[in-house]
């Protein structure tokens, strides 16, 4: 890809941010503010029941005496939990964004302007997919990192009041560079794992006459119901492979794939929690995220995604102002 093409693609991705400031700019800022508000509110409310914060400060001192591996597990787990709201809301926002990204151009007729520019339909579709895969997650990850740093600063203030060293008790166990890298890797793998769903939404957005998000949901639901009906009528049993179940399982298993590195042994879908290993790296596992890349389902999904995106390009190329 030439430098000019990369520059055009970057400009188109920035355009997506300009056109959706609520989803990509204000939403993470609002989430950050809400998290800090509830943390501060909880601390203030707790201080009203904790005379001179004796219980709180004593708990912090006891925390300083726990083993290093448990301390690391607690700190990284708490920081990961703080970022959880960002990462969960990101998926919801991306689903609505992708379902309307091409439809809105047809609805407000701005597609006529964009087609007058020397920008191919393929590059336009690619810019929207890359925004969902790379740019939007990067923005939400940055907001989550800022929130984690503010939480650590608040914890450091309480640590100083308790007479402990916040650097050795909070900051070093957090292993921030590794935690952030694992989160970034998880978001990248998550985007690839969910790419068939992303591509399906873009495909529906390219041709749906009305409310593409409803079309995108109604089609797999209808297929699932037909599968159930046919299986019940033909063999009086549930279908072996159900489209709706496949979509829901992929969406559920793709929410930050294995950033939380539970090592669970299961048999027949039954999980034995006694086999779960709580290691010091339980929230910072690289291997489980990378394991998604070796799954056949990942590559089958990417092939399906490419076919759907090719269809989206075809429909956009033939789109009119009607």
């Amino acid at each position: 890809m030439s430098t000019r093409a990369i520059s055009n693609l970057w400009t188109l991705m920035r355009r997506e941010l300009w056109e959706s400031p609520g989803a990509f700019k204000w939403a993470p800022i609002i989430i950050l503010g809400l998290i800090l508000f509830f943390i501060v509110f909880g601390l203030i409310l707790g201080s009203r029941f904790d005379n001179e914060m004796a219980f709180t400060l004593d708990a912090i001192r006891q925390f300083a005496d726990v083993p290093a591996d448990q301390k690391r597990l607690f700190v990284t787990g708490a920081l990961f939990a703080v970022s959880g709201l960002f990462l969960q809301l990101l998926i919801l926002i991306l689903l609505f964004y992708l379902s309307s990204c091409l439809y809105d151009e047809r609805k407000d007729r701005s597609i006529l302007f964009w087609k007058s520019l020397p920008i191919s339909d393929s590059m336009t579709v690619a810019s929207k997919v890359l925004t969902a895969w790379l740019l939007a997650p990067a923005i939400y990850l940055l907001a989550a990192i800022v929130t984690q740093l503010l939480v650590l600063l608040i914890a450091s203030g309480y640590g100083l009041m308790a007479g402990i060293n916040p650097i050795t008790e909070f900051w070093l166990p957090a292993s921030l560079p590794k935690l952030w890298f694992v989160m970034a890797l998880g978001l990248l793998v998550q985007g690839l794992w969910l790419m068939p769903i992303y591509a399906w939404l873009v495909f529906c957005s390219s041709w749906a006459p009305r409310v593409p998000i409803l079309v995108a949901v109604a089609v797999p639901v209808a297929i699932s119901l037909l599968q159930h009906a046919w299986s019940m009528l033909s063999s009086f049993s549930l279908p072996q492979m159900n489209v709706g179940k496949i979509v829901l399982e992929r969406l559920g298993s793709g929410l930050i794939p294995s950033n939380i590195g539970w090592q669970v042994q299961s048999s027949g879908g039954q999980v034995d929690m006694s086999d779960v290993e709580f290691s010091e790296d339980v929230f910072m596992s690289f291997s489980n995220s990378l394991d998604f890349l070796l799954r056949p389902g990942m590559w089958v999904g990417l092939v399906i995604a490419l076919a759907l995106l090719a269809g989206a390009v075809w429909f956009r190329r033939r789109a009119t102002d009607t």
Side-chain angles (χ1 to χ4, degrees):
M1 183 179 291
S2 65
T3 304
R4 181 185 180 89
I6 295 176
S7 177
N8 290 339
L9 186 60
W10 173 242
T11 301
L12 289 174
M13 294 171 65
R14 291 170 59 192
R15 164 209 166 191
E16 299 302 314
L17 300 185
W18 298 333
E19 293 186 345
S20 304
F24 300 133
K25 178 181 177 182
W26 296 113
I29 294 176
I30 292 173
I31 298 172
L32 190 157
L34 287 175
I35 291 176
L36 292 180
F37 169 78
F38 283 111
I39 290 176
V40 174
F41 178 79
L43 293 174
I44 294 175
L45 184 64
S47 66
R48 301 294 297 270
F49 297 94
D50 186 7
N51 186 26
E52 297 181 356
M53 294 192 298
F55 177 80
T56 301
L57 298 182
D58 185 59
I60 294 176
R61 297 187 188 101
Q62 293 181 14
F63 171 77
D65 295 330
V66 303
D69 56 340
Q70 296 182 22
K71 190 179 303 179
R72 184 180 182 186
L73 173 63
F74 178 84
V75 174
T76 54
L79 293 178
F80 193 89
V82 167
S83 64
L85 186 57
F86 290 96
L87 307 180
Q88 300 296 325
L89 186 60
L90 171 64
I91 296 298
L92 182 63
I93 287 177
L94 289 180
L95 295 181
F96 281 95
Y97 159 72
L98 291 171
S99 67
S100 62
C101 61
L102 295 177
Y103 170 77
D104 288 343
E105 293 181 346
R106 295 184 289 118
K107 182 180 179 181
D108 60 19
R109 300 185 179 184
S110 61
I111 189 173
L112 299 177
F113 168 75
W114 294 110
K115 278 182 169 292
S116 67
L117 300 178
I119 301 295
S120 67
D121 297 290
S122 300
M123 185 168 292
T124 300
V125 173
S127 68
K128 299 179 185 300
V129 175
L130 289 176
T131 297
W133 180 38
L134 299 177
L135 194 54
I139 294 173
Y140 276 74
L141 177 60
L142 178 61
I145 288 174
V146 172
T147 306
Q148 291 174 347
L149 292 175
L150 292 175
V151 169
L152 281 174
L153 288 175
I154 295 174
S156 298
Y158 275 81
L160 292 174
M161 294 171 60
I164 67 173
N165 186 345
I167 301 298
T168 58
E169 305 302 330
F170 298 135
W171 292 84
L172 291 180
S175 302
L176 291 177
K178 182 179 180 181
L179 178 63
W180 295 340
F181 186 79
V182 171
M183 291 174 61
L185 176 63
L187 285 170
L188 288 175
V189 176
Q190 172 185 267
L192 292 175
W193 181 251
L194 297 178
M195 194 59 68
I197 297 177
Y198 291 171
W200 168 249
L201 293 170
V202 175
F203 176 72
C204 292
S205 182
S206 68
W207 61 266
R210 295 287 186 278
V211 198
I213 184 67
L214 292 182
V215 174
V217 173
V219 171
V221 168
I223 295 176
S224 299
L225 292 177
L226 289 174
Q227 284 182 296
H228 274 282
W230 174 258
S231 182
M232 292 297 292
L233 291 175
S234 60
S235 60
F236 201 69
S237 63
L238 294 177
Q240 295 293 327
M241 183 176 296
N242 184 271
V243 172
K245 182 181 178 181
I246 293 174
V247 173
L248 290 177
E249 286 182 347
R250 194 174 193 93
L251 183 61
S253 63
L255 295 179
I256 310 305
S258 302
N259 266 338
I260 302 179
W262 302 97
Q263 300 179 21
V264 181
Q265 298 179 1
S266 60
S267 176
Q270 299 297 322
V271 178
D272 183 2
M273 294 305 294
S274 63
D275 291 333
V276 178
E277 299 178 6
F278 293 89
S279 68
E280 62 179 7
D281 290 328
V282 67
F283 291 100
M284 298 192 294
S285 172
F286 293 95
S287 60
N288 290 336
S289 289
L290 294 176
D291 284 344
F292 271 68
L293 298 176
L294 302 178
R295 296 186 180 184
M298 169 69 82
W299 299 101
V300 172
L302 290 178
V303 171
I304 295 174
L306 288 175
L308 290 171
L309 292 177
V313 172
W314 188 89
F315 276 108
R316 189 182 189 276
R317 189 173 294 130
R318 286 154 180 78
T320 65
D321 60 331
T322 58

